Amino acid sequence: MTVHVIGAGVAGLAAALALARAGQRVALHEATPAPGGRARALPDGTDNGTHALLGANRAALRFLTAIGAREAWVEPEPLGLPVLDLEEGTARRVALSPLGWGDAARRPDGMSLGGLFALLRLAIPGPDRSVAAAFAAHPRLLRALVEPLTVAALNTPVEEASARLLGAVLRRLGGKGAARLLVARQGLGPDLVAPALATLGCHGASLRAGARLRALVQAEGRVTALDFGDTIIALLPGDAVVLAVPPWEAARLLPGLPVPQRHAPILNVHFNRVEEGPVRFLGLLGGLSQWVLVRPTGVSVTVSAADAAVGLTDAEAAARIWPEVRQAALRFRLPGAWPEAPPLARAVRERRATPRHGLNPPPAPPRRPLANLVLAGDWTLAALPATIEAAVRSGEAAAAVLGRALRQRVVA
């Protein structure tokens, strides 16, 4: 009996690992030449942006531990996030946890008793509204804290982003250590994808890259074969499929499947800069840049909800972003040289990076649309934004559903 996992992004890797650890034979199929999905967009295998995890992302951290990669994730700003306001020229270090806001110097700008109550109200179920509407009475707090958090977590402008979904994010940040910020020391390729593949190999899983699934051959509500164009794999009666692909690919393979139709873009710009020093993570307000990740091997900048920026050329993006990065680096006294001229840069544009997390989202698709096929992918969890955490959780959920179905069949 074999479980075929279609798609070797984070969701597919998580599903494959859960199944392999449960004793299932796993065959992993990836359409692109290299596995990793959105986590591995650059030729050297590093990540495509300033991906970060929080201490609240328990599923993702559990996955890192299972693949032996947890120690490769470091906390770059344990004293609080350095934030530079490019418009007002102010710089401060903001505590990510509400437990640290008792110190006025580490409190987000605009935080007041009313603003705190507005944050707490998000945790109370009720009619949904936009994040901008929920914080209309607290514009400074919206600009300094809520908007950056919204575009980072939901990748959707605050004018349309769901306050209910943002509340689901905030509810996870209240516990001790839940707001710790963690980043991959080298990148998602070396510090997530590669160790996941190595661990899967140790469990006997196979990987076939460069193999795009052309069609699912079906009969009587089951998948009977996988059509890869040059190869058709017939499924045995006990075989099963985990479909861990983007929503548009899932809709192509399963016509009629309800999937998100509207997506939000992300622009990432990577600057070549080799300079010894610690890993750092900065936040910027009032500019094009939002998050800056500084590693000894380069500087990565992310612009989320990037409808107005995703069309910039590499040169245009670098020319606009590097002065902002340089200003922040000098203001926070980051080590090394920060010349006025931008280094060689490359932009990575994800025009359909995530679903737009607005009001009245489409219902989640069925986890098991066919008897021997289950879905995985961050977009399949309507209650969570499309993040690494959601991808891991969806993969584990798919493996759990499939495991129960297989056990019931054995018992029957």
Side-chain angles (χ1 to χ4, degrees):
M1 182 178 69
T2 301
V3 179
H4 296 271
V5 179
I6 312 299
V10 173
L13 294 172
L17 182 62
L19 290 163
R21 294 179 74 186
Q24 301 293 340
R25 179 185 298 169
V26 175
L28 195 58
H29 307 270
E30 169 57 35
T32 65
R38 289 183 53 226
R40 199 169 193 172
L42 300 185
D44 62 357
T46 54
D47 48 307
N48 60 347
T50 57
H51 293 286
L53 294 175
L54 295 174
N57 298 145
R58 294 181 177 87
L61 294 177
R62 185 172 60 245
F63 178 72
L64 292 176
T65 299
I67 61 175
R70 177 62 183 86
E71 296 304 315
W73 287 68
V74 298
E75 186 176 10
E77 306 297 340
L79 300 180
L81 180 67
V83 178
L84 174 65
D85 191 321
L86 294 163
E87 287 185 353
E88 299 185 0
T90 58
R92 62 196 302 160
R93 191 177 284 271
V94 178
L96 294 176
S97 171
L99 301 177
W101 295 347
D103 181 354
R106 303 175 65 217
R107 195 177 300 157
D109 186 30
M111 179 60 71
S112 63
L113 189 59
L116 183 60
F117 283 145
L119 287 170
L120 293 175
R121 277 197 294 271
L122 292 183
I124 302 174
D128 201 4
R129 52 180 172 165
S130 73
V131 172
F135 288 88
H138 310 281
R140 289 193 68 83
L141 182 63
L142 175 66
R143 177 178 180 274
L145 175 68
V146 179
E147 184 171 17
L149 180 61
T150 300
V151 297
L154 308 188
N155 191 34
T156 304
V158 293
E159 293 77 14
E160 62 176 288
S162 164
R164 178 185 298 163
L165 190 55
L166 181 62
V169 174
L170 294 178
R171 283 194 295 272
R172 297 172 177 268
L173 300 180
K176 183 178 180 181
R180 290 181 63 209
L181 178 72
L182 303 166
V183 298
R185 191 191 308 275
Q186 300 178 76
L188 293 190
D191 296 333
L192 189 156
V193 179
L197 291 173
T199 304
L200 284 168
C202 292
H203 284 283
S206 63
L207 169 66
R208 181 168 177 255
R212 181 171 183 252
L213 183 63
R214 304 295 178 179
L216 293 165
V217 182
Q218 301 178 41
E220 299 179 351
R222 302 177 60 83
V223 179
T224 58
L226 303 173
D227 182 357
F228 290 97
D230 59 343
T231 304
I232 295 179
I233 300 176
L235 269 61
L236 299 175
D239 291 349
V241 178
V242 174
L243 191 62
V245 297
W248 52 91
E249 281 292 285
R252 178 183 67 83
L253 294 165
L254 293 170
L257 184 74
V259 302
Q261 299 296 323
R262 300 176 62 244
H263 296 81
I266 292 177
L267 171 67
N268 298 296
V269 180
H270 303 270
F271 295 94
N272 291 344
R273 176 182 177 272
V274 180
E275 192 83 53
E276 288 301 320
V279 177
R280 298 296 305 272
F281 195 92
L282 313 176
L284 298 180
L285 298 175
L288 180 61
S289 316
Q290 295 162 354
W291 309 105
V292 181
L293 176 57
V294 180
R295 294 191 181 103
T297 54
V299 178
S300 298
V301 180
T302 290
V303 181
S304 297
D307 298 86
V310 74
L312 295 175
T313 66
D314 287 22
E316 291 169 339
R320 288 187 58 181
I321 287 174
W322 181 254
E324 299 176 352
V325 172
R326 181 175 183 268
Q327 185 177 343
L330 296 176
R331 187 64 177 269
F332 290 110
R333 299 182 179 181
L334 269 59
W338 296 89
E340 291 188 16
L344 184 66
R346 176 192 174 184
V348 177
R349 301 165 187 84
E350 300 175 88
R351 299 183 185 275
R352 295 186 290 185
T354 68
R356 299 188 84 93
H357 294 299
L359 308 181
N360 303 313
R367 178 67 63 192
R368 189 180 167 193
L370 297 173
N372 61 341
L373 181 145
V374 294
L375 297 177
D378 53 17
W379 60 275
T380 66
L381 294 180
L384 291 177
T387 60
I388 294 175
E389 172 75 3
V392 172
R393 286 181 178 272
S394 74
E396 293 179 343
V401 169
L402 193 54
R404 286 195 295 270
L406 294 174
R407 286 194 297 272
Q408 290 170 358
R409 184 179 305 162
V410 169
V411 170

